[in-house]
Amino acid sequence: MMRKPKKTNEEDGHPLMQDPVENQRSAFDAYMKNNSITNVKLADLTGRRESTFRNYRNGTTRDMTLSIKTEVANALHVPMTEIFGETMNLTGRRDSTPTVQPGVSIPPDQTMVPIFGRAEGGKLVNTPHPVAYVEVPASLGLAKDTFAVRVTNAASMPRFRLREVLVANPDEGAPTHDDCVIITKGGEIHILYCLEYATNRDFVGITHADPQTKITIANDQIDRIGRVAYIRT
């Protein structure tokens, strides 16, 4: 008498337990191979180190942060689930705030700030949507329209280091003798030390790399401006 095959968990209505982190890694590796994207190319697009993606793909790194995955999706201009699979449980819209996986929440003493901008031709240019999000202490009392940028060139050195994230608070404006971030209506992002500025006057400042050269930005060309209130390394 032939014995009936034992029912699997799926047939019983209980899906087999899977590791979503491993599923995401496999999906990411497959996406990279199928689209002939190298770790080096993705590093150039995101401003991250090549080892970040190499170690993730070979299992040396257990997982990548949600911020890095968001950067990857924006750099490749595709929904995050297309790269990392449906287990991401994230919205596919690139212009929306990432949805954290079930059981994971933002600590009550932290708040999320959107990061804008990408490196292009040695400059930092604005992006229509956030490329990532950064956690900052809620105790800072930042404005709702607070934004952040990532340092992508040497113009801000030695004051700021490459890949540091600068959080700019519009409520604090741009005080003289302080660092600030300016996004122009033309899409340029400037990280400058303020020498002169008022709401009805042009902005005058310098870069830390070239303090002898003054940079003037017309007041009517400033889209967003804020003092650097926090630095995330």
Side-chain angles (χ1 to χ4, degrees):
M1 181 176 179
M2 183 178 294
R3 298 178 62 182
K4 292 183 179 180
K6 186 178 180 181
K7 286 186 177 181
T8 63
N9 288 343
E10 288 93 336
E11 292 172 334
D12 282 329
H14 301 286
L16 290 171
M17 292 295 293
Q18 298 183 23
D19 184 346
V21 174
E22 289 303 322
N23 288 347
Q24 291 166 28
R25 186 201 313 281
S26 297
F28 175 71
D29 185 59
Y31 182 89
M32 295 280 282
K33 290 178 179 176
N34 293 339
N35 291 277
S36 301
I37 302 173
T38 65
N39 298 330
V40 173
K41 180 179 180 180
L42 188 57
D44 289 339
L45 292 173
T46 60
R48 294 281 177 175
R49 293 184 176 87
E50 179 273 340
S51 59
T52 298
F53 307 113
R54 170 165 42 83
N55 292 339
Y56 177 57
R57 294 177 71 181
N58 65 26
T60 301
T61 301
R62 164 69 174 163
D63 197 6
M64 292 193 300
T65 66
L66 181 57
S67 292
I68 296 178
K69 291 174 182 176
T70 305
E71 291 174 16
V72 170
N74 279 280
L76 298 177
H77 305 290
V78 295
M80 207 176 304
T81 51
E82 187 173 325
I83 304 171
F84 296 98
E86 295 301 325
T87 55
M88 279 302 300
N89 192 35
L90 298 171
T91 174
R93 286 176 56 88
R94 294 189 295 112
D95 58 343
S96 57
T97 304
T99 304
V100 181
Q101 297 183 51
V104 179
S105 60
I106 301 172
D109 60 342
Q110 300 287 306
T111 186
M112 298 292 282
V113 173
I115 302 174
F116 292 88
R118 70 174 185 274
E120 186 175 292
K123 297 182 178 181
L124 185 58
V125 298
N126 192 27
T127 50
H129 310 299
V131 297
Y133 292 80
V134 60
E135 289 185 12
V136 300
S139 59
L140 293 176
L142 300 173
K144 289 185 178 180
D145 55 350
T146 293
F147 61 98
V149 300
R150 191 184 302 279
V151 178
T152 60
N153 55 48
S156 302
M157 296 175 68
R159 174 70 175 89
F160 303 115
R161 295 178 297 179
L162 289 176
R163 296 186 177 83
E164 283 186 328
V165 175
L166 311 182
V167 178
N169 185 6
D171 276 5
E172 297 185 54
T176 56
H177 307 300
D178 212 335
D179 297 299
C180 66
V181 178
I182 299 173
I183 299 180
T184 69
K185 294 178 180 178
E188 297 179 342
I189 297 179
H190 299 273
I191 302 170
L192 299 170
Y193 180 80
C194 180
L195 298 178
E196 302 175 27
Y197 181 66
T199 53
N200 59 344
R201 298 180 60 183
D202 296 344
F203 176 95
V204 180
I206 58 174
T207 65
H208 287 282
D210 185 12
Q212 303 304 318
T213 303
K214 291 185 179 181
I215 297 174
T216 300
I217 300 177
N219 183 63
D220 61 0
Q221 291 302 306
I222 297 176
D223 182 42
R224 277 181 281 178
I225 186 170
R227 172 182 170 272
V228 176
Y230 185 75
I231 305 171
R232 182 67 180 266
T233 57

